[in-house]
Amino acid sequence: MQFPEDQSPRDRESISIHAGPIRQWLDANILELGRQIRLSYLPPLMVYLAAGISGLTGIVGTFFVKEYLGLSAEFLASLGFWAMLPWAMKMPMGHLVDLLWRHKGRLIYFGAGLVALSLLIMIGLLAKPAAMREIMSPESWYVLSVLLAPMGYVIQDTVADAMTVEAVPRVDEEGNAIPDEQLKLAHTTMQTLGRVAIIGGTLLVAAVNVFMFSGVENMDIDQKKGIYLEIYRLALVIPAVSVAGVWLSAMVRNRDARRLAAQGFELDAIEKMQSAHVETPEVNWWILGGSLAFLAFSVVMGLADFKFSAEIVFAGSMGIVLFLMRQLTRDIAPDARLELFGTAAVIFVFRAVPTSGAGSTWWMIDELGFDQQFLSKLSLLASALALLGMFVFRRFMAERSVIYVFGALTVAGALLYLPNIAMFYGFHHWTSALTHGLIDARAIALIDTALESPLGQIAMIPMLTWIARSAPPALKATYFAVMAAFTNLALSLSQLGTKYLNQVFTVTRQITDGVTGAIKVPADYSQLGELYISVTLLGLILPLTTIYLVQRHAPRLARQEARN
């Protein structure tokens, strides 16, 4: 290491002592991941990267709804419920991917097509609104776009999950089998890089949004509309990245096949060496039958337009998923099964906590003056710190139980929600006056985002690790799909809870007539503070109560089941 000439020997010794551990930490936690990347890892990573880039239109979508559509916060929360339902369909999709593995490329193409269609609808609404309005209302087009996108992402995500298994080579360059210990390390690296790719995609799009919205405070409505349209057009790169991953996968596979053929291996032997799906598995009718029943039930209830259709769909789908979980865990020891269900309950409740909904963002835009570029900066900061948090807290998550981790995340999340409550009641005016404008609403939002942003991704890692570790060896793919569907249903319940809270605490933005300019709905944020407080209390009380009940009663229930 080179030192400046004006540094004393003691300073140089201190830097050397502290630089050693820092360099070792960086090497073991960050640089080592880079050294373990292989060309075969890139195809599924490109699909994951596309999932991360999907957030490119998030901020644009928020402002489009606010400025052009007359949709309420309650309706948007209800729409969010339906948009989350496709993720519960990972159960049949996971099994179908196994059955149709040789056609996985076509599944990626189909998913990319759905995503592209969703984006083209939004492009049409911005570029040709009159022509689109002749077919359907802008609100109907928007709902269709919102529902198409998750369908495409679910298909691509399910295939990418399976591609990660095939991406890890089972033989070395000479055709010799790789030891199990090295395979396990390679799979761990692959999954870690998958999360890095997703968050890296969100980091990239946040930077693009900051650049695209530069100077937005001085733009008129038509100039902003032009930026929105440009971003949606740019977002068409998302399905292109997924398709490119399929092409790269085929190229890598053909290259390796030619190398092995040159070494004298027969085609059948090469197929076995390369593929993790040599034989097509048998159809699991429990999974397919239950999932198809769930799909038919959801569609019928959704089209029937019952008053409580979303609630009925959630209850029915939850019943099916719980039944499948019971079927998959019949052969597990009673104490292990109860521990598994207890952990599942804690994770479910943590993810099912309702949020404040769209009204919170509307208030920040209207009352705090947060524009598109500042929200993009918050997104950029959140993505960068989430990526850093994955590495910094990796040891914390590895050395403690899943329940302990989620308990800590619950308390941290409640504490970090307090700045929102404080700013609603004017805390930022007091801090701004005290610090001569240094710590205003934007500064508080930046600090809060910096502290809160790693929590979401940190919560994902122990959940995925728990699913992988508890899965029976012979049913890993099926088990993972069912448990993922269970935890995704928690997000649907969160949207339902958000809808209920927005019915109790009404929050409205100003909606004007697009032709006359007359105010159709006035802005009213008077109940947002009570909504914030309710969300904070529910987010603290519900998970901690579940943790207490699980810790208290699970051992006793396990003993009773063992006696029975």
Side-chain angles (χ1 to χ4, degrees):
M1 177 180 289
Q2 299 294 323
F3 297 98
E5 294 183 0
D6 59 345
Q7 281 187 336
S8 67
R10 178 177 296 178
D11 290 337
R12 296 181 184 181
E13 181 181 359
S14 176
I15 291 175
S16 297
I17 292 173
H18 290 90
I22 293 174
R23 190 186 298 115
Q24 292 175 6
W25 185 89
L26 290 173
D27 184 79
N29 291 278
I30 299 178
L31 300 181
E32 180 64 20
L33 285 176
R35 289 194 294 268
Q36 293 178 9
I37 293 179
R38 302 175 61 97
L39 183 61
S40 62
Y41 293 177
L42 293 183
L45 291 180
M46 291 178 70
V47 181
Y48 285 139
L49 178 64
I53 302 174
S54 66
L56 179 61
T57 59
I59 293 175
V60 174
T62 298
F63 279 86
F64 177 82
V65 170
K66 183 178 183 297
E67 296 170 359
Y68 293 95
L69 303 180
L71 302 177
S72 67
E74 177 188 341
F75 178 85
L76 291 173
S78 179
L79 179 60
F81 169 83
W82 293 105
M84 281 305 305
L85 273 184
W87 290 100
M89 294 307 297
K90 285 194 74 171
M91 293 184 296
M93 279 305 305
H95 196 52
L96 287 174
V97 166
D98 283 335
L99 297 174
L100 304 173
W101 183 245
R102 294 182 182 276
H103 306 287
K104 62 181 180 296
R106 296 179 184 179
L107 293 174
I108 291 286
Y109 295 151
F110 181 62
L114 293 176
V115 173
L117 182 58
S118 171
L119 294 170
L120 289 172
I121 289 174
M122 297 304 298
I123 291 172
L125 285 175
L126 287 165
K128 303 288 184 181
M132 299 288 283
R133 196 177 290 111
E134 290 180 359
I135 302 173
M136 286 195 303
S137 68
E139 288 80 6
S140 298
W141 278 118
Y142 176 76
V143 170
L144 179 60
S145 175
V146 168
L147 295 179
L148 282 175
M151 295 179 188
Y153 288 125
V154 167
I155 294 172
Q156 294 191 120
D157 185 70
T158 305
V159 177
D161 287 345
M163 286 175 68
T164 60
V165 178
E166 190 177 63
V168 176
R170 305 172 70 188
V171 297
D172 59 23
E173 294 183 355
E174 297 179 356
N176 300 317
I178 296 176
D180 289 341
E181 208 169 294
Q182 293 183 26
L183 275 178
K184 182 179 179 181
L185 176 62
H187 282 296
T188 302
T189 300
M190 178 75 253
Q191 297 303 324
T192 303
L193 290 172
R195 301 306 306 171
V196 171
I198 293 174
I199 301 174
T202 63
L203 186 64
L204 177 63
V205 301
V208 170
N209 274 318
V210 170
F211 172 76
M212 295 293 290
F213 286 121
S214 177
V216 70
E217 64 275 6
N218 300 318
M219 296 181 185
D220 58 29
I221 188 70
D222 291 331
Q223 290 174 315
K224 292 179 181 178
K225 185 177 180 180
I227 296 294
Y228 299 166
L229 180 59
E230 191 173 348
I231 289 177
Y232 272 111
R233 285 172 174 166
L234 182 61
L236 288 172
V237 74
I238 297 169
V241 170
S242 300
V243 171
V246 176
W247 294 345
L248 181 59
S249 176
M251 292 171 56
V252 171
R253 188 177 179 84
N254 291 335
R255 183 206 63 175
D256 292 343
R258 288 194 299 269
R259 174 174 50 79
L260 292 171
Q263 296 176 9
F265 289 98
E266 299 292 335
L267 290 179
D268 290 344
I270 293 174
E271 178 70 16
K272 291 180 180 179
M273 291 177 187
Q274 287 188 316
S275 181
H277 295 71
V278 177
E279 298 180 359
T280 302
E282 295 183 3
V283 177
N284 187 320
W285 291 110
W286 281 116
I287 297 296
L288 285 184
S291 300
L292 290 176
F294 160 60
L295 177 61
F297 177 75
S298 301
V299 172
V300 170
M301 294 303 301
L303 295 177
D305 195 26
F306 288 110
K307 181 178 180 181
F308 297 104
S309 58
E311 289 81 356
I312 295 173
V313 168
F314 172 79
S317 57
M318 177 59 73
I320 293 172
V321 171
L322 290 175
F323 171 75
L324 294 174
M325 288 174 61
R326 181 68 180 179
Q327 291 294 117
L328 288 172
T329 57
R330 284 185 304 176
D331 298 329
I332 300 178
D335 55 343
R337 181 166 57 248
L338 264 296
E339 181 182 356
L340 186 151
F341 287 160
T343 304
V346 171
I347 295 175
F348 184 89
V349 172
F350 178 86
R351 289 167 65 85
V353 170
T355 67
S356 55
S360 177
T361 305
W362 297 340
W363 173 73
M364 291 179 183
I365 294 170
D366 290 342
E367 301 298 324
L368 300 184
F370 291 2
D371 56 26
Q372 293 92 329
Q373 188 185 38
F374 182 71
L375 291 177
S376 299
K377 289 179 180 178
L378 287 180
S379 177
L380 177 63
L381 178 64
S383 299
L385 291 174
L387 194 60
L388 178 63
M390 285 177 59
F391 298 107
V392 172
F393 293 103
R394 187 166 60 171
R395 183 174 295 276
F396 169 79
M397 293 180 289
E399 294 178 350
R400 290 166 176 82
S401 69
V402 175
I403 290 181
Y404 182 94
V405 171
F406 277 94
L409 292 175
T410 295
V411 175
L415 291 175
L416 293 174
Y417 210 85
L418 294 179
N420 292 328
I421 301 174
M423 284 196 293
F424 178 81
Y425 291 105
F427 179 71
H428 56 290
H429 296 304
W430 179 75
T431 57
S432 180
L434 188 65
T435 61
H436 303 287
L438 181 63
I439 303 179
D440 57 3
R442 295 196 172 199
I444 294 173
L446 285 170
I447 296 170
D448 188 48
T449 299
L451 295 173
E452 186 180 11
S453 54
L455 296 184
Q457 290 302 324
I458 291 174
M460 286 292 294
I461 294 173
M463 184 191 75
L464 295 172
T465 302
W466 163 73
I467 293 175
R469 286 181 176 178
S470 57
L475 293 171
K476 278 192 176 293
T478 302
Y479 190 92
F480 197 99
V482 171
M483 298 306 296
F486 174 73
T487 54
N488 285 331
L489 279 173
L491 298 180
S492 295
L493 182 58
S494 173
Q495 290 295 330
L496 283 177
T498 301
K499 182 183 77 171
Y500 299 148
L501 286 178
N502 277 270
Q503 290 174 346
V504 175
F505 306 104
T506 303
V507 178
T508 60
R509 71 191 187 283
Q510 179 175 295
I511 300 177
T512 58
D513 188 283
V515 179
T516 64
I519 297 177
K520 298 168 62 177
V521 179
D524 182 6
Y525 300 112
S526 59
Q527 298 186 52
L528 184 60
E530 299 169 69
L531 177 59
Y532 276 158
I533 294 172
S534 300
V535 169
T536 304
L537 292 176
L538 289 173
L540 181 66
I541 294 172
L542 293 179
L544 292 184
T545 301
T546 305
I547 290 173
Y548 169 77
L549 293 175
V550 167
Q551 298 281 50
R552 180 180 176 86
H553 297 294
R556 179 176 56 83
L557 292 174
R559 289 193 298 270
Q560 290 178 354
E561 186 169 347
R563 287 195 297 268
N564 296 333

